[in-house]
Amino acid sequence: MAFTRTYDGDEPVRVNKWLGQTGVCSRREAESLIAEGLVSIDGETISDPGRKIEPGQTLTLNDTAQHALASGMTILLHKPVGYVSGQPDPGKIPAVRLLKTPNRVGEGETPARDASLPPIGRLDEDSRGLLLLSSDGVVAKAVIGPASELDKEYLVVVDGHVTEGKLSKLRHGLELNGKALKPARVTQIEPQRLRFILTEGKYRQIRRMCELVGLEVIDLYRVRVGPLLLGDLPEGRWRHLTPAERDALITQAKGEGR
């Protein structure tokens, strides 16, 4: 079924910009769809990548466009310690090496060895848990785009004396590189075990936060990204994201359905 949406802004806006802002697709993807004649406004197919949509007009992406946007592959992987998320330095092993048929859980195509599946969000070499790898630009924007409202949940084992004062600082009041961090939800679930829920993902953020209050991270385990749960997926195994999970991810990233 074709996708339709009525523009409710106050001023005309370029179609590619509007589609990017609303999370339907990236600006580049929008330009490609327009060039292929897959986008119409009030029933008229548009071909100008600079075309603006007026308040009250309705944009339609036909079925072919919808299929193109959803055709990217997204993998949910349980990354073990010792694998790096992104492009590795010499001697390091990229997590994408785990995407082999014997490691797959459930049905679906195994990515080609040379497939482009960049990591969507950081997960350090010495951390484990849920890692997304995707060629789907809409999924990438939903998880790491500047307007994303997705949170991420981690279970963290620390060494050091945990106090209410330290927990209070972890929740609010810390800075990294001279910039204040967004408030975090941090709870103590066992004497040396904490739960962190963050809405940002700076480089080695949790480890650096803990160092600032005199704690050392012994184990860091990501169990959730937005509505996506790692669940009982075994370490080192992977599966395809389902269409329902993709829809839920995009919806929650825009702050809807909460």
Side-chain angles (χ1 to χ4, degrees):
M1 185 176 182
F3 168 91
T4 62
R5 179 170 294 183
T6 300
Y7 176 53
D8 58 1
D10 297 324
E11 300 290 337
V13 64
R14 287 174 62 115
V15 169
N16 63 347
K17 180 178 181 181
W18 180 52
L19 289 174
Q21 289 175 335
T22 54
V24 175
C25 61
S26 69
R27 292 192 189 190
R28 183 173 295 178
E29 287 170 329
E31 290 169 1
S32 295
L33 296 177
I34 291 169
E36 293 171 20
L38 305 179
V39 183
S40 61
I41 294 177
D42 288 347
E44 175 193 353
T45 299
I46 63 174
S47 57
D48 178 8
R51 172 70 178 269
K52 293 185 176 181
I53 187 168
E54 304 280 343
Q57 289 186 322
T58 297
L59 178 141
T60 300
L61 303 179
N62 69 19
D63 291 340
T64 302
Q66 282 289 88
H67 177 74
L69 290 178
S71 62
M73 180 183 291
T74 301
I75 300 297
L76 192 156
L77 168 70
H78 186 161
K79 187 191 87 66
V81 170
Y83 290 81
V84 296
S85 300
Q87 194 65 28
D89 293 327
K92 302 294 185 179
I93 307 173
V96 72
R97 293 266 186 90
L98 292 167
L99 304 186
K100 301 176 181 179
T101 300
N103 296 335
R104 188 184 67 211
V105 172
E107 299 299 320
E109 175 186 359
T110 297
R113 184 175 178 83
D114 59 350
S116 176
L117 285 168
I120 309 303
R122 299 184 179 98
L123 192 60
D124 302 321
E125 180 181 5
D126 45 1
S127 300
R128 60 194 180 97
L130 195 162
L131 176 66
L132 292 175
L133 302 155
S134 182
S135 59
D136 186 329
V138 180
V139 168
K141 183 170 183 177
V143 178
I144 59 176
S148 174
E149 296 187 13
L150 288 180
D151 55 16
K152 292 91 176 175
E153 182 175 348
Y154 305 80
L155 300 180
V156 182
V157 177
V158 297
D159 185 30
H161 184 46
V162 180
T163 67
E164 188 55 42
K166 291 179 180 181
L167 292 175
S168 180
K169 288 182 179 179
L170 289 170
R171 293 174 186 134
H172 190 72
L174 294 180
E175 293 184 356
L176 289 179
N177 300 328
K179 294 185 178 181
L181 295 172
K182 293 180 180 179
R185 283 178 280 169
V186 184
T187 54
Q188 185 176 15
I189 52 181
E190 291 178 5
Q192 300 302 131
R193 198 169 185 226
L194 308 178
R195 174 180 284 109
F196 280 73
I197 299 179
L198 306 180
T199 56
E200 57 187 342
K202 298 185 182 299
Y203 175 69
R204 297 179 71 83
Q205 180 172 339
I206 291 176
R207 295 178 187 276
R208 294 162 68 197
M209 289 171 69
C210 287
E211 287 175 3
L212 289 174
V213 298
L215 300 174
E216 180 186 0
V217 172
I218 304 301
D219 182 48
L220 192 153
Y221 182 41
R222 183 157 66 196
V223 297
R224 180 175 63 82
V225 173
L228 303 180
L229 299 174
L230 183 63
D232 58 1
L233 184 68
E235 189 170 271
R237 306 292 290 277
W238 63 274
R239 66 175 179 82
H240 284 276
L241 209 65
T242 68
E245 287 175 323
R246 181 183 185 273
D247 290 345
L249 191 71
I250 294 167
T251 297
Q252 192 174 115
K254 294 186 290 186
E256 302 172 8
R258 291 189 175 185

